[in-house]
């Protein structure tokens, strides 16, 4: 290969790619980042105003060190950008005491010595009265260090800080192909071919268009915000009234959400749409939210969070690029020294984005990551 245009290209500057760009630039790497849209756009998996952060990750015990490191890095990124990107609000995981949410969270916290409180049903009723329909076999785990991150602002901050550190950024530039060649990779856009020694592909829901062999399904996920049915109750859904939560119901489905500053509405979702999620083409036009999207959620609210309007006040469509085991894809497929993949977020990746960015930078620079990563390796199947 003739002399490269940059040492490293990062394709996709969403949550994972923007964080990788920042950590690579902070490590002094000659890096260029490309995204088909502008940083903080609303077409991928990183829009909707908030993402919930917690360290007691029930999704996999080895995610806890990644979450702890990510929280430090979110603060560091906020300091570098002069913005408060992480807002600690406290968070609660509610459900049957032996169900996967409460028991899984307690197990993750115990294994890593995290500071959490375990509540019985009476304590949940007293502390969080908006959560209704609790039975005595329910309980909760309270994590005071949980909170919210503003995804669009965080991505813009990561890209801006990376650019300040010397990264070159091409937004509004779609990558049409990534080709691995002797000594490096070619990154093809409509107008150019960029030659780099290593390429990071962090294209979110579009990963399969660039690397079709990865085991990913792209699922359509509606996000909804609800107001109180009774206008007199407006203001009742502040962050202290309904802090960040995941709530497992007796039918095994999970609600997630949180109140907002001012308390005028609740952001709410039903994980997996109660088992009714469908695949979507990220370039298709399936972005209109209809009653069919929110009815499985609304059916469950009467009992769990009564008093809300029967239809959302706002809604949007987002995507989960889902792997078979719901863990991320992070590493070098086939051990290839020219390629790192960061994606397959499976709906729980934002909180970890800064830690993932650091792992990417470690892999690119030939350093051993400081957190466990084997369970996310793209070849684990
Ligand atoms: C509704 C919803 C709620 C969620 N809630 C939470 C939560 O509370 N907590 C949590 O931790 N996680 C949550 N997640 C998951 C989290 O948002 C994702 O893990 C994270 O946003 C994934 O980031 P990403 O970088 O992989 O994808 P994206 O942020 O979508 O980035 C991919 C980028 O690649 C770019 N791109 C794609 N193809 C190309 C190309 N060919 N050329 C150039 N650029 C390209 C895209 O434009 C995009 O900017 C949620 C997800 C959804 C959908």
């Amino acid at each position: 290969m003739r002399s490269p245009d940059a040492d490293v290209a990062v394709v996709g500057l969403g949550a994972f790619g923007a964080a990788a760009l920042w950590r690579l630039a902070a490590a002094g790497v000659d890096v260029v980042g490309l995204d088909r849209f502008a940083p903080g756009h609303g077409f991928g998996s990183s829009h909707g105003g908030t993402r919930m952060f917690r360290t007691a990750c029930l999704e996999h015990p080895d995610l806890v060190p990644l979450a702890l490191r990510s929280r430090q890095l979110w603060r560091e990124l906020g300091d570098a950008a002069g913005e408060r990107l992480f807002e600690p609000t406290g968070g609660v995981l509610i459900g049957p005491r032996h169900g996967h949410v409460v028991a899984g969270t307690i197990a993750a916290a115990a294994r890593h010595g995290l500071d959490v409180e375990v509540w019985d049903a009476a304590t949940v009723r007293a502390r969080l009265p908006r959560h209704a329909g609790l039975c005595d076999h329910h309980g909760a785990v309270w994590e005071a260090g949980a909170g919210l991150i503003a995804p669009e602002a965080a991505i813009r901050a990561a890209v801006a800080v990376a650019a300040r550190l010397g990264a070159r950024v091409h937004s509004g530039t779609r990558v049409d192909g990534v080709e691995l060649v002797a000594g490096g990779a070619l990154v093809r856009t409509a107008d150019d071919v960029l030659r780099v020694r290593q390429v990071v592909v962090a294209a979110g829901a579009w990963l399969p268009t660039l690397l079709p062999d990865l085991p990913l399904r792209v699922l359509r996920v509606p996000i909804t915000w609800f107001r109180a049915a009774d206008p007199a109750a407006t203001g009742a859904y502040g962050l202290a009234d309904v802090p960040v939560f995941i709530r497992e119901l007796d039918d095994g489905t999970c609600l997630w959400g949180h109140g907002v500053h001012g308390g005028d509405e609740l952001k709410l979702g039903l994980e997996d749409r109660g088992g009714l999620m469908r695949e979507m083409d990220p370039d298709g036009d399936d972005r209109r939210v209809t009653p069919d999207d929110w009815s499985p959620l609304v059916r469950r609210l009467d009992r769990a969070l009564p008093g809300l309007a029967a239809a959302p006040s706002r809604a949007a469509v987002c995507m989960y690029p889902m792997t078979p085991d719901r863990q991320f894809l992070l590493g070098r497929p086939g051990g290839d020294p020219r390629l790192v993949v960061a994606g397959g977020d499976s709906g729980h990746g934002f909180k970890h984005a800064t830690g993932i960015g650091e792992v990417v930078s470690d892999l690119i620079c030939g350093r051993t990551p400081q957190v466990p990563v084997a369970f996310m390796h793209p070849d684990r199947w």
Side-chain angles (χ1 to χ4, degrees):
M1 191 170 79
R2 72 158 209 239
S3 67
D5 301 303
D7 274 342
V8 179
V10 179
V11 177
L13 300 177
F16 293 175
L21 190 79
W22 168 47
R23 294 320 298 156
L24 285 162
V29 173
D30 169 31
V31 59
V32 57
L34 307 99
D35 199 290
R36 54 187 289 169
F37 302 117
H41 64 82
F43 307 108
S45 302
S46 299
H47 55 283
T50 52
R51 287 294 182 269
M52 304 193 295
F53 180 95
R54 65 206 142 80
T55 59
C57 296
L58 60 123
E59 294 86 354
H60 195 288
D62 280 349
L63 283 169
V64 174
L66 186 64
L68 290 167
R69 179 62 185 143
S70 295
R71 182 164 58 192
Q72 289 171 344
L73 288 168
W74 284 120
R75 294 210 166 103
E76 203 176 298
L77 177 61
D79 289 346
E83 286 178 58
R84 189 165 179 241
L85 298 175
F86 174 68
E87 183 179 8
T89 61
V92 66
L93 291 104
I94 307 175
R97 277 200 303 273
H98 301 294
H100 85 281
V101 166
V102 169
T105 304
I106 290 173
R111 180 165 164 172
H112 293 279
L114 300 177
D115 189 13
V116 297
E117 292 171 30
V118 179
W119 293 352
D120 61 12
T123 310
V124 186
R125 286 187 199 108
R127 299 273 295 259
L128 301 172
R130 296 266 167 262
H131 280 280
L134 290 158
C135 303
D136 287 342
H137 70 279
H138 290 139
V141 186
W142 171 255
E143 181 183 337
L148 288 172
I149 305 168
E152 297 90 343
I155 289 170
R156 282 194 290 268
V159 173
V161 173
R164 233 168 48 207
L165 292 167
R168 283 168 281 157
V169 176
H170 299 286
S171 54
T173 304
R174 195 180 74 190
V175 170
D176 294 326
V178 170
E179 192 186 337
L180 301 176
V181 295
L186 303 179
V187 176
R188 295 185 192 282
T189 66
D191 317 316
D192 208 359
V193 179
L194 203 64
R195 289 165 169 76
V196 294
R197 290 188 208 284
Q198 299 188 61
V199 60
V200 179
V201 183
W206 290 268
L207 251 181
T209 64
L210 295 171
L211 300 173
D213 292 338
L214 294 172
L216 273 185
R217 289 191 312 141
V218 177
L219 300 176
R220 181 179 176 282
V221 187
I223 324 174
T224 40
W225 289 260
F226 287 80
R227 290 182 179 274
D230 176 359
T234 298
Y237 296 101
L239 268 165
D241 306 300
V242 191
V244 162
F245 74 89
I246 294 177
R247 178 163 171 194
E248 182 181 359
L249 304 177
D250 278 331
D251 66 3
T253 60
C254 284
L255 302 174
W256 55 263
H258 59 81
V260 299
H261 289 295
D264 286 351
E265 58 185 5
L266 265 188
K267 184 178 182 182
L268 284 174
L270 173 66
E271 191 61 14
D272 289 353
R273 253 185 99 237
L276 297 174
M277 281 208 291
R278 64 173 193 261
E279 294 191 36
M280 82 175 262
D281 171 3
D283 287 320
D285 58 4
D286 194 7
R287 301 252 172 184
R288 206 169 63 86
V289 184
T290 68
D292 183 47
D293 285 309
W294 67 71
S295 57
L297 167 64
V298 167
R299 271 203 302 279
R300 289 162 168 95
L301 290 181
D302 263 2
R303 188 168 152 76
L305 286 155
L308 293 167
S313 45
R314 292 193 282 146
V317 167
C318 200
M319 294 177 283
Y320 286 177
M322 188 71 91
T323 66
D325 63 1
R326 296 179 168 235
Q327 302 305 333
F328 314 141
L329 300 172
L330 181 60
R332 294 188 183 278
D336 198 307
R338 299 161 295 181
L339 172 67
V340 171
V341 169
D345 73 85
S346 303
H348 58 108
F350 200 93
K351 65 179 84 55
H352 303 290
T354 44
I356 286 172
E358 185 168 74
V359 170
V360 168
S361 169
D362 286 341
L363 295 174
I364 291 283
C365 297
R367 293 187 298 254
T368 304
Q370 298 303 298
V371 295
V373 292
F375 70 104
M376 300 181 277
H377 198 283
D379 297 342
R380 64 185 175 276
W381 294 279

